Amino acid sequence: MQTIRIKTPSSGTTDTTEETGQGPGRDLLPLLAGAATVVGAVGAILAFADADSPLRGPFTLFFLLAAPSAAIAAALRGLEPFGRVLASVAGGVAVNMLVAQGMLALHQWSMPGGIAAVTALSTLMLLLVLVRRLRGRTSSRRAS
């Protein structure tokens, strides 16, 4: 009979899961991002449909905070993670307040209109970030 011994890594070597970027915690981030997208989309749909659901308020609030915050976070790619989260959430709150203030000043306030305006501004910010990144790639390809 043969004995198989398991060698423990010495203190100078690193684990192969750390080197390859694989491990139990790596699959959690895309799962959470997908769940957040579903919650936000359900919140927007419930608000537009004017459904009588106890989840309408929290899900819509989550959408109103997450949509502009995600767009701003995409633009702030160079910051450290904590500063990026803090600045994007503050920017998301500011976008919501500016939309509400502008609609109230124009006497055009409505809940679906506010959600549509926040959605449009968030989409526009995200598209501008994507266009800027694509232009940066094409200019770097031309230079090389």
Side-chain angles (χ1 to χ4, degrees):
M1 187 156 95
Q2 184 178 11
T3 304
I4 300 174
R5 297 184 190 254
I6 299 173
K7 293 182 181 180
T8 58
S10 64
S11 61
T13 62
T14 59
D15 191 13
T16 57
T17 58
E18 292 175 7
E19 292 173 359
T20 60
Q22 297 176 350
R26 286 293 190 185
D27 295 335
L28 190 60
L29 190 60
L31 180 68
L32 290 176
T37 303
V38 169
V39 168
V42 168
I45 290 169
L46 287 174
F48 278 124
D50 200 23
D52 288 332
S53 171
L55 297 176
R56 184 178 96 176
F59 283 11
T60 303
L61 180 64
F62 179 79
F63 172 76
L64 288 173
L65 288 175
S69 296
I72 293 171
L76 300 175
R77 197 170 49 164
L79 289 179
E80 292 183 13
F82 181 71
R84 186 177 180 181
V85 168
L86 190 66
S88 65
V89 170
V93 170
V95 166
N96 285 315
M97 290 174 57
L98 288 172
V99 165
Q101 185 177 3
M103 291 181 79
L104 286 172
L106 296 173
H107 303 288
Q108 297 295 321
W109 173 252
S110 69
M111 187 180 60
I115 293 170
V118 169
T119 304
L121 286 174
S122 300
T123 305
L124 180 65
M125 285 188 284
L126 191 59
L127 287 175
L128 288 174
V129 168
L130 292 175
V131 166
R132 186 181 69 186
R133 286 185 188 170
L134 288 176
R135 283 189 181 175
R137 287 183 185 174
T138 57
S139 65
S140 67
R141 286 183 186 170
R142 288 180 191 163
S144 47

